[in-house]
Amino acid sequence: MLKNYFITAFRSLKRFKLFTFLNLFGLSTGMACSILIMLWVQDEKSYDKFTPNAAEIYRLTSNVSGSIAAVTPPPVVDAVKQQIPAVENVTHGVPISATVSIGDKKFDEKNLLYADANFLQFFNYPLVRGNGNVLGQPNQVVITASTAIKYFGTENAVGKTLKVENGYNSDYIVSGVLKNLPHNSHLQFSMLLPISYYYLSNGEDWGNFSAYSYVKLDKHFNATSSSIALLEKQIDLIHQKNDQSNTKSRFTLQPLTDIHLTAGLQLDVEGQGNMQNVKIFSIAAIFILVIACINFMNLSTALGSTRAKEVGLRKTIGARRIDLIVQLMGESLLVALLALMIGVLLAWFLLPLFNELASKNIGIDLLNGSLIAQLLAIAVFVGLISGSYPAIFISSFNPVKALKGIKAPKGELSYLRSGLVIFQFAVSVVLIISTLIVNNQLDFIRKRDIGFNKQNLLYIQVPQVGYQKANYDALKQALQLNNGIADYTIVDHLPTNLTTGTTDVVWSGKDPNMQTVFPHIGADASFLKTFGMKLIAGRMFNANSIADDSTYLVNQTALKIMGIKPAAAVGQKISTNGNQGTIIGVVQDFNFKPVQQAIEPLIIRHNNRAGFVVIRTSGADYQQIIGNLKDVIHNLYPNYPYNYGFVDQDIAKLYVTEQRTGMLFNVFSIMSVIISCLGLFGLATFAIQKRVKEIGVRRVLGASAQGIVAMLSADFIKLVGASLLVAFPVSWYIMHQWLANYAYRITISWWVFAISGICAVLIALITVSYQSVKAAYANPVKSLRND
């Protein structure tokens, strides 16, 4: 019996070659897209789940005057462990950047952490070399395996000495080599330093928000929303009792496995994902698969009447309806399994390109039992969904009417088929509109006036400590002698993604209960000129005036918060972190953080130390300028690594996630349109084949070819028009919610819907035109020959 089902299924597939090809191509393409999205979603949701007892670990985040950050004051967690019994263990780490020296070799490291002695044990990070408490002594350091190879080659790194130039130029002994961190760990670091060195310069400051802090709750603790909220209130009280700066902060316990997909926290680790994008692409994967299933259902039901006599004959010789349903469902499952195999091969072939687009390193492990089970589940789901209605419909034919050639009633079926076409085209149009809006928003971000000219700005990093001051004048003289440099400025932080902030800002008339975070930056007298910023009141710093060390510039947003008009701002007294000063100028607002965030109040201090030299080039040969600057830095700072970058590139990096989202949107919207067109092409082919004689009669009676093409196309254009009525409001709502994540965003214009609608109609016309034109210009004598 089973063998007979398979033989019959293969014969049926072979008999209708075009429709078999359309079904296989549509389903396999839909499955390939869904498999790639499924792998991406699984990777995004897998972060930190490898950590033992991950469900009991939380990161402590802070909210200071609406500024939500991933960091807390370092002393908080130790006090939490001592005072809250439900907390079993705690640890924390403070991220830094530093120059690492091994002999004459210098390395500029961005991902270092001052960490607790229990940091490795807390997260169960395994060592490949070393044992015991490898961070127990103040001169010990732990490096990752890849860092060990970079520093020492294939030699055993344990026991080797390195110097970290972090203000103390301290020598450390490598006490352990850590196994490279998994790619799906939210924490990515190359070295761990003892936290004791951090406290040497910063002390246990309860007002300094700088540490990533983690708590592990007791395994018997019932972590409900109410019990977690109670713990958070206890942590708030602990901070209030110990913080001498009276910073009004609220703390939140963030589950470890939620960290990667929680976007928007300030001072967070790099490479964050976005749960909204995960949800969007998950829905897209389901819809793409559903579109492919609809194609199968439509084509199978359309072919139903051609199989009427087969069904009638089988019923006549004793086949039960359930037997026919099983046979037809078997055919759909067979097609789904064949499509799965093709889809897996297609996904495997496209995986390198997909990894490049998504910046991932995902693989397809066909020896993974869980993955195989998921893929088979997709195939069975597709087979059952796609084949269910066609099987029920075709098996319902009356054998007498079927053998006489009487057509089955088609009203109800026609409505269902039309509804499915409307649905699949509506999904495609939603994706098209979403793609246009996403691309427009990204283009808006790239071209938006951010308040300064980001082009031709090159920066180099210089020491902030040690002998920098002694070479300050020599550095300026060397820069002035370079013909390719138009202007330059020296700042302590780059105004591209500023992470500084203080709530200790006082001005006349300030409400004592008011608390606002003021980012700040140190700059010299050339800051505004070099960046092309506008001064709307007052003056800039005087390079030769020592008195300007106690003066400030503020932006427009800062004045709005202070309740001071720009014309009256100059001469006003303010205090920041206890340092009294005078406002001497007002700067027009500019973006110093990603455009997802609104412009915040900013205070510009007169720079008394370096960090970065930002250079406005004349647009000449960059390589020559970079080479000249390298010589300057090596002459002035022979033991300091030469690092440079471009401001516009740094700003572009802030929106890498959005750029990837846009590219993936483009790809999957195109694929959904292709799959929808395949189904429309198949339906058009079948519909026109059923009307061949009607077309022949119309031609004989004088109908023009153009009129017939218009008649045949009109039915499908009506369906596309109906799909637009569904797609427009749905896409507007979805994109309106997505754009709400941006403080500065486009408005959704009518032309987006107009272009999408025109594209959908044109795509439908092109899809059905081939068969329509072919039928319209066919010789009517041939179509009427048998009548």
Side-chain angles (χ1 to χ4, degrees), residues 311-312 315 321 324-325 328 389-399 401-402 408-409:
V311 172
K315 283 190 173 183
R321 186 179 183 186
L324 293 171
I325 291 175
L328 295 168
Y389 185 80
I392 294 171
F393 167 71
I394 295 173
S395 65
S396 67
F397 290 165
N398 185 296
K401 292 182 178 180

Side-chain angles (χ1 to χ4, degrees), residues 472 476 524-526 539-546 548-549 606:
Y472 185 82
K476 291 196 294 183
D524 66 7
S526 302
R539 65 174 178 87
M540 189 54 189
F541 300 122
N542 189 331
N544 300 316
S545 174
I546 298 176
D548 274 4
D549 288 347
H606 193 207

Side-chain angles (χ1 to χ4, degrees), residues 13 19-35 285 288-297 299-300 331-344 346 378-379 381-387 671 674-676 678-679:
L13 297 178
F19 294 101
T20 299
F21 168 77
L22 293 176
N23 279 330
L24 279 176
F25 187 84
L27 285 176
S28 59
T29 303
M31 285 186 178
C33 292
S34 298
I35 289 169
I288 288 173
L289 206 56
V290 169
I291 288 173
C293 292
I294 288 173
N295 283 351
F296 188 99
M297 294 173 68
L299 294 175
S300 297
E331 290 180 13
S332 66
L333 285 171
L334 179 61
V335 171
L337 289 172
L338 289 172
L340 175 64
M341 290 187 284
I342 298 171
V344 170
L346 187 59
I378 291 175
F381 170 81
V382 170
L384 292 176
I385 294 297
S386 303
M671 296 311 299
I674 291 174
I675 296 171
S676 296
L678 285 174

Side-chain angles (χ1 to χ4, degrees), residues 48 50-51 119-127 178-179 181-182 185-189 192:
D48 297 304
F50 62 86
T51 305
F119 197 83
L120 296 179
Q121 292 80 9
F122 186 92
F123 289 106
N124 200 34
Y125 290 139
L127 292 169
L178 180 68
K179 183 179 178 181
L181 298 171
S185 169
H186 82 280
L187 279 174
Q188 296 292 330
F189 53 85
L192 295 177

